[in-house]
Each structure stands twice: as C-alpha cells, then as structure tokens.
Amino acid sequence: MSADTVNSNPNGVASEVPGSVDAGVVPKASANGLEFLQSIDGETDFQYLLFDDNLVTVSDTGKELGEFTVTVEPTKYKSQELFLIHANSHGAIDGVPCGTSITCYVTKQLETIEQQHHEYVKLENCPLDRKTFIVRQEEGYVVNRVITQREDVQRTAKTIALDTMQGFISEGSNLLLHRLLIEKNFPDDMQLLSFDSDANLSVAVYKHLEERSQNVEGLDMRVFGIERTIISTTDLPTTWQSYFSGDCHLTNRVQVGSPVTMKLAQIPTAIERDEEPPKPTFEKQPLNWEEDMQLYSRFLDRKEELKGDHAVYMRHHPELKALLADFLQFLLLRKPDDVLSFAAEYFAAFSNTMPSSSPYMASSTSTPFPASRTNTGIEKLRTPTR
C-alpha cells in the first residue's frame, strides 16, 4: 500500500538475502554502486523519465483498496536546479485507513537535499502517525523523527556525517532511480545505502528480475523487474519487487510478504522520443585542384592577390632593394653550404627580437646558426698552399 513500510507484513516475512549486516559495522555502498551513481548524466539521462505514474492498490482477492501516484518534475529549490519527487498512497486495509506521502528534492545525480516522509495508520484504538524529515547540511544529514501513538509523542534527532552517507538513496530518490535502472544497464547485486523503517542506515541491494508478461486493459505487456532489499542492522530484511514497461512506467509494485499489490490499471500514453538520424558517411575523394575549374580559379586569384601585396610593400619600402642586393653579394662571396641558416643569421641582425651584439665582440663568437659559417670552399682558400 505504501511507498515505504506502512504495508509491511505483520509477521515480518521477507525474502531471503545472502549475508547480513552486523549492528556494529557501518554500512557502505559497493564500488559498482558508486560508479553507477557517478556515471549519471543529469542533463540527458532523465530527459524521458520525468512523468507521472498512477497505480491502483488491490488485495490478494482482487479488491480495489486505494491508489498510488508518483510525480517527478524539474524545479528550482534554494537556487539549485533539482527534481521534485512526490509520492502518495492512501486507502484502507480491512477497513483501516492508512497511507504514506513523500516529498523529496534531489539533485540530478540523485543526491537527496531534503525529504519529508509521512506515514499513518488510523487504528480505532491506537492510531499511529510517523513523520521523518531529512535535510542535507554542511556538517551532514540531519534526521528528525516524530512518532505519535495516541497521546504518546516521541521525538528523535541525529546527524550523520556526509562521508558516511556516500551512495545514500532516499525513498524519494529511489523512485526515480528505478526508472533510470530500467533505462540504463546496471550491475546485478549493486549495493547502495538507505534507511530502514527505524531510520537506521542500512545496505540496499538491487537485483534484476526475470522479464515477464503483465495484462493491462486486455493487452499483454512485456515488463522488466527490479528487486530492492534493505538489509537492516536491527531487523529482518525487507524486499520490494517492482516491474516497469519498456518506457520506464511503473506497472507493478509489491512488498514481499504483503497481501497488498499496486498494479497499473490503464496503459499510459507513450512518450515520443526524438531519435537521432544516422550520421551520413562520405568517402574520401582525391583532391585534384588543378583539374577543378573553381579551385584553380581561386588559386590564380589568390596568387595575383599575394603578388600585388608584395609589389605594394616593395614600393612602400625602397630600402628592401638595397638590403637584398647586399645579401646576394654577401651570399655569393661566402657561398655557405646551408643557405637557409646563412639567410637566417644575416636577417636576424635586422630583427628587434634578437639581442644586439657588442661591436667589440670577436668574430669567432658563437652563433645560433653555426651551419651558416661552414664552407669548405672558403676554408680551402684560407689554407696556405705549399
């Protein structure tokens, strides 16, 4: 009936799970669970997951007892872009009104910022009302509980360090996580953290269930299942089994051992997804620009443009003619083996970025262009012949 524990089996029956958690051990999320949460892309992964779910609650005899609704929408809360998740379940079991309500703000990485969880069972002689408030603060998560049973009111408060809560998934964020688990592939036996019915930090194990067929409005739907088990440190494990359609709509939800089941009564409207068109592929073609009239014409235009620019520059700088004449004479005189290095050294003297050399430096001073001074022909002329 409830989204959490209002409809827990009165006999405490739950499915068997491997292993247990000692009361003195601090629960921790598994490495693959933390990796899955870190892999969530909040901008794209939830693009088609923000919709409403509406189910009816029925008994094991098929009698309708109430309804269960889940809404997820983007919102801005305390200057943050978050998701607002609201779940509500109400009805009557054996004539006793009961229900639960969850209002939760989570980030796009499913980190809970704030959650209000209200559960009630209106027994005639002993009504029970339980409220749990979770708020994320700088020092950690602050958990406040108020349990009212007739005139008895119990209040508790505690703070849990943030590093201890790594991988924590609240009841509200769990509803959105289930949709994401159907949308994306997740490792079996993935372990995260959650609270048990007494707000004790516990391990939550997620498993795949086998696909099956579910009849809705006379049509057979292929549904996909996820099993979630909270392994409490102080009580028996509690297990929920949830089934979803291919577009992640919740179709069935039950707490193992409970006589109450939540089922989809009407087929929801399918959400149209924008499919990306296949990217075109182009074969690499050889570029024969000389045979292409357009490219060859552009080449000639660019060539004439550069020649014109050079001519204009030469006209505006007549000193270049004298400079080039001196360079050519010097080049013919030295006849260096490496003409490029020789030219670099020659014109470096006219650059304002090169350090100026002292006129008193010896001619044998090292040069950044040593190859410019190697000329076997000149060396032979310098060597006296006998």
Side-chain angles (χ1 to χ4, degrees), residues 31-164:
N32 59 5
L34 295 176
E35 289 176 4
F36 181 86
L37 294 180
Q38 293 172 358
S39 69
I40 296 176
D41 187 343
E43 300 300 327
T44 59
D45 285 347
F46 299 105
Q47 184 177 1
Y48 302 106
L49 303 182
L50 307 181
F51 49 77
D52 300 347
D53 276 329
N54 296 276
L55 283 73
V56 294
T57 308
V58 297
S59 65
D60 52 1
T61 61
K63 180 181 179 180
E64 187 171 326
L65 304 175
E67 62 179 1
F68 173 69
T69 61
V70 178
T71 63
V72 182
E73 58 183 339
T75 187
K76 194 168 186 179
Y77 181 68
K78 296 182 179 179
S79 302
Q80 286 185 275
E81 298 291 338
L82 304 175
F83 294 130
L84 171 60
I85 303 169
H86 181 69
N88 186 276
S89 174
H90 64 273
I93 301 178
D94 296 332
V96 179
C98 58
T100 184
S101 175
I102 295 175
T103 301
C104 185
Y105 293 92
V106 302
T107 67
K108 295 183 178 181
Q109 280 67 45
L110 296 182
E111 182 181 13
T112 300
I113 300 300
E114 182 177 304
Q115 176 180 278
Q116 301 178 12
H117 191 176
H118 180 206
E119 303 168 278
Y120 66 89
V121 179
K122 293 185 178 180
L123 295 170
E124 183 177 355
N125 298 324
C126 188
L128 173 65
D129 187 280
R130 181 166 55 191
K131 298 177 181 178
T132 304
F133 303 92
I134 304 174
V135 180
R136 187 187 189 281
Q137 298 183 355
E138 293 182 359
E139 63 274 14
Y141 278 91
V142 179
V143 183
N144 290 283
R145 304 190 76 209
V146 180
I147 301 176
T148 304
Q149 194 166 7
R150 299 186 66 177
E151 297 180 356
D152 181 25
V153 179
Q154 299 180 5
R155 301 177 183 272
T156 60
K158 61 182 177 181
T159 301
I160 307 176
L162 292 179
D163 55 352
T164 306

Side-chain angles (χ1 to χ4, degrees), residues 228-247:
R228 175 186 182 233
T229 301
I230 294 183
I231 306 176
S232 175
T233 58
T234 58
D235 202 351
L236 293 175
T238 309
T239 300
W240 291 264
Q241 293 181 347
S242 304
Y243 285 87
F244 297 81
S245 61
D247 57 358

Side-chain angles (χ1 to χ4, degrees), residues 167-349:
F168 172 72
I169 297 294
S170 64
E171 289 302 314
S173 59
N174 174 68
L175 296 172
L176 184 54
L177 173 64
H178 270 69
R179 297 179 181 181
L180 188 62
L181 295 180
I182 296 296
E183 182 81 1
K184 301 178 64 174
N185 186 29
F186 71 96
D188 212 2
D189 290 334
M190 181 178 72
Q191 295 186 13
L192 298 174
L193 298 181
S194 187
F195 284 148
D196 62 9
S197 59
D198 293 324
N200 296 314
L201 194 61
S202 306
V203 171
V205 182
Y206 293 81
K207 292 183 178 181
H208 294 273
L209 294 175
E210 292 185 1
E211 300 178 16
R212 72 179 192 184
S213 180
Q214 180 177 338
N215 189 278
V216 181
E217 295 185 309
L219 298 176
D220 288 334
M221 298 177 57
R222 198 66 180 168
V223 294
F224 310 88
I226 298 174
E227 182 179 87
R228 175 186 182 233
T229 301
I230 294 183
I231 306 176
S232 175
T233 58
T234 58
D235 202 351
L236 293 175
T238 309
T239 300
W240 291 264
Q241 293 181 347
S242 304
Y243 285 87
F244 297 81
S245 61
D247 57 358
C248 304
H249 277 279
L250 181 63
T251 64
N252 188 287
R253 176 181 168 92
V254 63
Q255 180 176 333
V256 175
S258 172
V260 176
T261 304
M262 303 172 188
K263 294 183 178 180
L264 184 66
Q266 296 181 345
I267 297 178
T269 303
I271 300 176
E272 296 184 0
R273 302 196 177 196
D274 299 329
E275 296 184 359
E276 295 184 1
K279 295 182 179 180
T281 57
F282 301 97
E283 295 183 1
K284 189 175 182 180
Q285 299 291 338
L287 180 61
N288 298 322
W289 63 272
E290 293 181 348
E291 298 179 3
D292 189 301
M293 295 184 61
Q294 184 177 1
L295 291 178
Y296 190 67
S297 176
R298 292 180 59 183
F299 164 74
L300 294 178
D301 292 342
R302 180 58 176 165
K303 180 179 178 181
E304 294 300 323
E305 180 183 353
L306 291 176
K307 289 175 63 177
D309 290 344
H310 294 163
V312 171
Y313 189 84
M314 292 291 290
R315 286 198 301 269
H316 291 170
H317 298 81
E319 67 277 6
L320 288 178
K321 291 184 179 181
L323 181 63
L324 291 175
D326 290 344
F327 169 70
L328 291 175
Q329 290 181 1
F330 197 33
L331 181 65
L332 294 173
L333 179 64
R334 294 289 301 270
K335 297 180 180 180
D337 294 335
D338 191 340
V339 177
L340 291 179
S341 297
F342 177 81
E345 182 180 21
Y346 179 85
F347 289 106

